[in-house]
Amino acid sequence: QAEAALELAQRLRLPAVPTLIEGLDISNLGAEQPVAGVVSFRGGRPAKNLYRRYKLKTPGPDDCAMLAEVAHRRYPKLASNDELPDLVLVDGGKGQLGAVVGQLEKDGLAGRFAVAGLAKKEELLFLPGRSTPLRLPPDSPALHLVQRVRDEAHRFGLRYHRQLRRSEGLQSILERVPGIGPKRRKALLDAFGSLKKIRRAKVDEIALVKGMSAKLAAELLRYLKIHYY
């Protein structure tokens, strides 16, 4: 891992070997439930206690604007706590990188840490102020490191996106069930998290959920059996 970080510093002409690297990735399906996943690698290894996820307010699909939103919500706060990373790796090319760099400039954080974009198709690294991207050798430890960061950010963001979509789908179904109001819907979502788990549950298991009863649990399962089995 030390070799990869050292090579990365040399290739990107960083002032120091990056110890803390963050990866940013946007996950959305059209305009549905846009989210961002932020992962951190310390010493070349995932630091999962530093992972963060963001439910985005920016209308989609607009990855550049969404990345700018994440940068604005995240890095001024980290700067105030003196917790900025050494390198931020953005999933994308020149446009995505420019959006993050532009937002950092607006927030007075230009030059406080290094930023690079990693484009998926050809695995090219885009760097601020450089007109041509950097292509690392296929066997480069530095390339393997940035790929791991990028892929982990994508996995983390996608998992959160899927989780929100499942919850949204389940909530919309529960809204149609007679007798299941907002408080009971929330309790069922917290307890089971997915329609599949509710379907598999027994009446007495559902009845244990706050606000539910054996009678209401039986009616819920009967409704799901008729409409969603």
Side-chain angles (χ1 to χ4, degrees), residues 15 17 73 79 93 103 115 125 150 153-154 160 168 211 226:
V17 176
R73 290 170 62 182
Q103 186 61 54
V115 188
L125 273 167
R150 188 268 317 278
H154 180 69
Y160 182 41
E168 182 185 50
I226 295 171

Side-chain angles (χ1 to χ4, degrees), residues 5 9 14-18 86:
L14 304 179
V17 176
D86 301 306

Side-chain angles (χ1 to χ4, degrees), residues 23 46 59 61 79 82 125 148 158 168 178 185 191 194 204:
D82 197 24
L125 273 167
R148 284 200 303 275
L158 184 60
E168 182 185 50
R185 283 199 299 271
S194 74
D204 56 350

